[in-house]
Every structure is written in structure tokens, then in C-alpha cells.
Amino acid sequence: MWLFSSSSPAAAAPAAPAASPATFAEAPGAPRADSAAIPPGRSAGPAAPPTREEITAFITRVSSQVAAQSPEVVARAKAQGELQQRLQKHKKKAAVMSRQSNMTRHAWKSAMSRPAQEVQEARSCMQALQAVNGQMADDLADMDEAEAALDALEEQHGAASNGDEDEDEMRALLDQLRVEPASEAESAAKFGLYEEYLTTVEQTRRTTLEFWASVKPDFPAQAQAHLQKAVTKLDSHDAMAADFDETGRRWFVYDMTVAAHRNNAAISKCLDMLRGRLEMMQGQEECPVCLERLEGAAGVHTMGCCHQVCAPCWRLYQAAVAQPACPLCRHEDFVGQFVHLSADQ
């Protein structure tokens, strides 16, 4: 067994209706909503506009609830909002990295299906994938840029990213490497393709290990232990080793490419698993406005930031203010709105 790489990083009851409410847009001295305000998202369906009495009672109830919050409750809400934002970023990064891994696999497959003189296109695609990987950060804007770059690569090179290549076809293409090509040019092209494939896979593996180190603290201890086992395998001897044919009857490039292909498949699987766990963790249990369980609410509204509010609260909140703010992402703005609204009643 030979190692082809060694890199490793290591509730308050509703109060009686009060006077007619002023909208947030009219509230003197109220903080104006800006471009970061959450745009309307998906809701349960059309509903009749709330009455003035309903809006007044809603403002009174939420204002009383906000005023009664202890510092611990406020801190918990803020921490929950920050966690949800991080999970959203983590999930998107995992999706982009998984897509890149699948595109690497497809680029290699596409090159193996072409004449040797066309291999350079696939190598160029892999080099571009390496550049995308190197430029990715944890900011959602960077993830959007990375997705746009991958879209452009798909259009330019036809590098599909769904990871649905037939395993029998992949095995047949790998088998072509069992015998060294008779042509020196083809031999050099296939070896160069392997080198680019390996470089891309190694970079993705390093990024995946670094990504896990950054997201690990956000997972519960039990989940950490389970996921750590899967991630550790990516950097293990078995994942990185090439089993060479010591008799010399098999071209060494075959063994090294099999190892790179196996590692790339494991990386893609690991990233998909991380993304799935992040999606499960991102689920909300209660409406951040009325604090009732969402599953018992009469419909749910999903905001642009992906946080959710029960449909009844959203209906009244939209009627009470000009620019709703996410109670989790922008908790201070949310509280400020109701302070001003309550003062104007």
C-alpha cells in the first residue's frame, strides 16, 4: 500500500384593545427599516385584512411580552438567531462544496470519454474548480459568487454537478487505465489528467476538513462524535492509499486514479451528510413572536432569511409595521418597533 498524499489540517394573555395604533412608519423616532429588512416570503395563503382592534390587541400583547423578557431570555433569543444564521451559511457552503466535488468527478469522466488531445479542456475545468474552492469564505455573498462561478463552468464545459454518473460507466472508464497507452502523447495526457484530478480532490478534502473544524462547535456533542468518525475517514490511510500492482502488469496510474476517485466519492458523501444534519438542526420549534409551537399554528410564514413565524402573527405584524424585521436575525429592531408602537397607543 502506498500513500499518494499526506496533507491534513486537522405567554401573556391578550390585553384589552387600546387606542388606535400608529404604524411603525409613522412612529416618531422609530428606527427606519433598511435594505436588510426581511422581504415577504411564503405564507399559508390569503387571509382577510386584520381589523384595527385586532392590530391594537396584537401590539399590546407583544409589547407586554417584550417588556417582560428577562435578560436571559433576550440573550437566548439573540444566541438562537446567531446560531440560525451560522447554520444557514454552513448549509450553503456544504452544498456548494458537494457540487464542486461532483463536478470534478464529471470532468474526469468526460475527459476519459474523449480523445487525448481534448483532455486539456477537462484539466482547465478542474483548475477553475480549484480557483473557486480557494476563493470560498464563510460569507453568504461569497457562496453566491461561488455558485455563479460553478454555473458558468457548467455552461462552458458541460460539467454536470448532480453526481448521478453510472458506476458501471465509471468503472469501465477506470479500467481503460489498467494498460498504459501505446501512444506517448496519450499516456502523458492521461497522466496529466490524473495529476489535475488528484490536486482538485486533495484541495477539496483539505477544505472539507477545515469546514468541519469550523462547524463542529455548532453541533450537539452526540452528533459531533458521530460526524467526526465520518470526517476522520477522509484523512485515513485507507482513503488516501493506492494499492499498486507489484507485478507491474497494471499501469500505476490506474491504482492512483482509483484511490483519488474513491476519496472524492467519500468527500461528496460526507458533505451531503453534513448538509442534511445542518438542515435538521435549522428547524424551528416555536414562533419567535407569540412563542407558541409552530406545528400547532394555523399555517407558517417563511421569511427571506428562512426563519419562520406563525401565519396569524405574520398577518398582524405586517399590518402593524411598514417593514417587518426578523425577530431572530434582527431582535433589537423587532423589540424597538414594539416599544415605539406601544408608546404611541
Side-chain angles (χ1 to χ4, degrees):
M1 300 283 282
W2 292 61
L3 287 178
F4 69 86
S5 169
S6 60
S7 57
S8 170
S20 173
T23 65
F24 173 51
E26 299 167 345
R32 297 294 302 178
D34 54 24
S35 59
I38 301 302
R42 302 185 302 276
S43 59
T51 65
R52 178 165 296 182
E53 289 74 17
E54 287 179 311
I55 298 172
T56 301
F58 172 72
I59 293 173
T60 302
R61 174 165 55 87
V62 176
S63 298
S64 298
Q65 182 175 288
V66 166
Q69 287 182 342
S70 66
E72 292 77 15
V73 170
V74 172
R76 186 178 64 187
K78 184 177 180 180
Q80 178 67 13
E82 292 172 350
L83 173 62
Q84 293 295 319
Q85 287 181 316
R86 289 199 305 274
L87 294 178
Q88 175 70 6
K89 292 179 182 180
H90 297 336
K91 186 177 69 173
K92 190 159 189 175
K93 187 169 185 176
V96 171
M97 292 170 62
S98 177
R99 182 182 179 191
Q100 179 202 358
S101 178
N102 289 329
M103 288 177 69
T104 300
R105 169 190 171 108
H106 183 85
W108 177 87
K109 172 199 148 183
S110 179
M112 286 295 296
S113 306
R114 299 175 182 178
Q117 59 268 30
E118 297 183 21
V119 166
Q120 183 55 41
E121 181 180 347
R123 294 189 62 181
S124 297
C125 179
M126 291 184 190
Q127 290 166 2
L129 288 170
Q130 294 168 27
V132 172
N133 187 298
Q135 292 170 359
M136 279 194 297
D138 290 328
D139 191 87
L140 280 176
D142 294 317
M143 293 300 103
D144 290 337
E145 291 177 8
E147 283 192 317
L150 295 182
D151 288 341
L153 284 174
E154 282 194 351
E155 184 175 350
Q156 180 182 356
H157 298 281
S161 59
N162 56 16
D164 290 337
E165 286 83 7
D166 184 84
E167 279 300 325
D168 291 337
E169 181 182 5
M170 296 295 290
R171 174 54 58 186
L173 291 171
L174 283 168
D175 285 344
Q176 292 180 17
L177 297 175
R178 288 179 175 272
V179 178
E180 183 176 1
S183 163
E184 185 175 337
E186 183 178 359
S187 179
K190 294 293 175 66
F191 181 71
L193 178 63
Y194 155 73
E195 288 185 309
E196 210 66 69
Y197 187 35
L198 174 63
T199 298
T200 311
V201 171
E202 285 187 319
Q203 185 189 51
T204 305
R205 178 167 52 80
R206 284 195 300 271
T207 305
T208 300
L209 295 173
E210 292 167 0
F211 173 62
W212 166 242
S214 70
V215 305
K216 182 178 179 179
D218 286 328
F219 283 94
Q222 187 172 358
Q224 284 185 22
H226 174 74
L227 292 168
Q228 183 66 59
K229 292 179 181 179
V231 175
T232 300
K233 289 181 180 179
L234 299 181
D235 211 26
S236 67
H237 180 280
D238 289 341
M240 299 162 56
D243 189 9
F244 291 108
D245 177 15
E246 297 183 0
T247 66
R249 289 176 293 188
R250 193 168 63 210
W251 194 28
F252 68 94
V253 175
Y254 165 82
D255 300 306
M256 295 193 298
T257 306
V258 166
H261 175 64
R262 181 178 63 239
N263 203 223
N264 189 56
I267 291 169
S268 183
K269 182 178 180 180
C270 183
L271 287 168
D272 287 342
M273 180 172 63
L274 285 172
R275 181 177 55 176
R277 298 297 189 276
L278 289 166
E279 286 177 347
M280 286 190 288
M281 286 178 61
Q282 209 175 9
Q284 283 181 239
E285 294 185 356
E286 63 181 30
C287 170
V289 179
C290 65
L291 306 183
E292 297 292 334
R293 291 188 65 84
L294 282 171
E295 60 190 30
V300 171
H301 174 87
T302 302
M303 294 177 284
C305 59
C306 295
H307 290 146
Q308 296 179 321
V309 175
C310 72
C313 280
W314 181 252
R315 171 174 167 266
L316 292 164
Y317 189 19
Q318 276 194 308
V321 302
Q323 293 285 349
C326 174
L328 293 176
C329 293
R330 299 176 56 203
H331 183 72
E332 292 182 2
D333 289 343
F334 171 77
V335 170
Q337 288 177 340
F338 282 92
V339 168
H340 285 284
L341 287 170
S342 178
D344 288 336
Q345 290 196 129

